[in-house]
Amino acid sequence: MAFDGFFTHAMVNELNQVITTGRVMRVNQPYPNEMILVIRAHRHNQRLLISANPAYPRFQLTEIPFQNPAVPSNFTMTMRKYLEGAILVAIEQVENDRVVKFQFTSRDELGDQQLLTLYVEIMARHSNATLVNETTGKVIDALKHVANDQNRLRTLLPGATWRMPPKQTRTNPYLPNQKYPALVRTTGEPTQLAKELQQTYQGLSPFLATEFASRLLAAENLPQAYSDFLVAFNNPTPTMVETTTGKQDFVALSPQQPTILSTEHFSSLSALLDHFYAQKAEHDRTKELAGQVLHVIKTELKKDQRKIKKLHREITDAQQADDFRIRGELLTTYLGQVQTGATKISLPNYYDENRPLEIELAPELSPSKNAQRYFTRYNKLKASVAYDQEQLAITQAEVDYLNGILSQIALAAPKDVQEIKAELIEQGYLKKHTKKGKKQRKIPAAQPSEYYASDGTLIMVGKNNRQNDRLSFKLANKNELWFHVKDLPGSHVVIRDTHPSNQTIQEAAQLAAYFSKGREATHVPVDYLPIKALHKPAGAKPGFVTFRGQTTLMAKPVAPQHINPKNR
């Protein structure tokens, strides 16, 4: 994944052609480390995504839909105050580094024109987006706040003096220089030359450095090859590549390396990034949004596992209850032989062929009270077994429920996380945070996802427990078929047809297998039955159902795109 200086150079050229002179219509922050500027330019609304996600930092135009949080963050409100209505006058790259300046003009509260710059830094975990007032040189706000104790050289807090990131010692390749001929003369081996080029010039990722080295070594006219390589990023060829090692990457030119197994070209760099990051970034955003949920669930699971161990231990100990009953009965039977004040006595055990059994006594108790003491201990242990078994069943049900939530998060899109959070608040696992004087907006249950089988039959899939309950008990017809992976957490799947074909039944089972914890298996058993055979016990947790009379078939987990999905 090479969003290096050269890719930045190409992306800046692309964005300058599309959104420069445009007006900012809206600012949103759908995820903690990402912001979107809706810019109206050339009679079209363009969505500029700026991401400081440490795993996938980038800036691009995007077509991927995002769901904004119910309450905008303080950062979002600040950006809206300063940027909404502003004109984007220029986009500039700092040398050939991964630092870009988005320059805006706007009016302040007094109507005076002000120059604002949004500095975007694409630097892994140090990635950031910082809005600066160029007149005062002060930071207005930053996507990620960096205090003085985190970085002594650069404080990125509102009101702090803006400082550029440390300047690189490497050479800007777009400035006149004669370093590359000497490198080629002294280094004839491609791998070593790639390393030397990467250490000498700004903006070269390992993959691009290898491409650069191979072109220079193969060139008959070295200055021309150098110039052609640089010019290629002014008119990029957005390309997805797959190497012989199976690794996928994106580049802004058509590579010529022998290690390239296949290439795929795109209409723009932004379209290339949308394609490349669609699933990777989606999964990472889901984990980011679900961070609190994952922490709470894992903490609860640890507590439950400890409780289960304790209950098993108590049940094992309680298996000795009969020993206390036998001792009580023997003492009662031979009560006349027990001496007051004795500490122990040996009596024939008629439950074990009259073999002698030594019984400990409390000398301060009478013989009858010693017998009663053993019966009391027996009754307590027997009662504890019933209680422990009941608690064991309750705790195991909670473990199954929480593991089901984990499986749902693994398959969830970011929009599904809010529903999962709402469910956990209802179940008491998460606290409800409300500001004074503000009524918390209730999150409605989303519509289950829709897919279409080969013959066009609609198949619906619940992606979380709230959707599962809605699908199974409100949307589905009682004579329609319901599917669920056997003995594993998974989605409820319903064929919206009372007389589906065998092929549609098989495809619905494949969906049920895919949207389950068994999606990595080769084949998974899937139960199916009519909706009318489902039952939800009173007080059961969301998504829990009971049934009988099901049919079970083996299904291969198949991703939705393999069976003609039609998303809403």
Side-chain angles (χ1 to χ4, degrees), residues 27-37 48-58 60 62 66 68-69 73 75-76 129 143-144 277 280-282 284-285 288-289 414:
V27 180
N28 293 314
Q29 189 184 3
Y31 309 107
N33 291 326
E34 297 179 348
M35 64 184 293
I36 289 181
L37 305 182
L48 174 63
L49 167 66
I50 297 173
S51 173
N53 185 305
Y56 312 116
R58 65 199 187 281
Q60 63 166 109
T62 183
F66 298 94
N68 294 312
S73 66
F75 173 81
T76 304
L143 194 55
K144 296 179 182 176
Y277 283 120
K280 294 181 176 67
E282 188 89 338
D284 195 70
R285 290 179 185 126
E288 187 176 27
L289 289 174

Side-chain angles (χ1 to χ4, degrees), residues 120-141:
V120 177
E121 303 169 46
I122 308 299
M123 298 179 180
R125 64 189 181 91
H126 299 295
S127 300
N128 211 341
T130 309
L131 186 63
V132 176
N133 185 319
E134 291 293 350
T135 304
T136 63
K138 299 294 185 181
V139 172
I140 295 173
D141 207 349

Side-chain angles (χ1 to χ4, degrees), residues 503-515:
Q503 179 64 25
T504 299
I505 289 174
Q506 186 64 41
E507 291 175 358
Q510 290 172 347
L511 273 179
Y514 180 80
F515 288 107

